[in-house]
């Protein structure tokens, strides 16, 4: 490592910092897209639920159910469902 190459180089002389930054691009893009899609779905569901009493109650029940289950159990259940 040096000031010009803070993470150093690999065995072939390639800059590791540049490789890390290049590899982070797709992950950040996927994370941003997933967040945008989730927020859009939540906003639409909220707008619809505010206009309908029974749908609002359904959204409340689903939200209460999801928030009452521990996150680790939810991940385990999702992995079993998705394979």
């Amino acid at each position: 490592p040096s000031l010009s190459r803070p993470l150093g180089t690999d065995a072939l002389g390639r800059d590791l910092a540049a490789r890390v930054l290049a590899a982070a691009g797709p992950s950040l893009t996927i994370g941003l897209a997933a967040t945008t899609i989730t927020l859009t779905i939540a906003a639409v569901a909220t707008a619809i639920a505010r206009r309908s009493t029974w749908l609002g109650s359904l959204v409340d029940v689903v939200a209460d159910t999801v928030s009452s289950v521990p996150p680790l159990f939810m991940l385990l259940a999702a992995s079993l469902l998705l394979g």
Side-chain angles (χ1 to χ4, degrees):
S2 66
L3 288 177
S4 64
R5 299 184 192 274
L7 296 181
T9 59
D10 62 4
L12 299 176
R14 298 177 291 200
D15 185 19
L16 289 178
R19 293 173 58 88
V20 167
L21 290 175
S27 297
L28 291 173
T29 302
I30 291 169
L32 183 62
T35 302
T36 303
I37 291 169
T38 302
L39 287 175
T40 303
I41 291 171
V44 169
T46 302
I48 293 171
R50 290 189 70 189
R51 296 189 181 267
S52 171
T53 56
W54 69 270
L55 191 56
S57 297
L58 178 66
V59 169
D60 285 342
V61 168
V62 170
D64 290 342
T65 303
V66 168
S67 65
S68 69
V69 177
L72 185 60
F73 182 71
M74 289 289 283
L75 289 173
L76 190 67
S79 68
L80 287 174
L81 287 175
L82 299 175

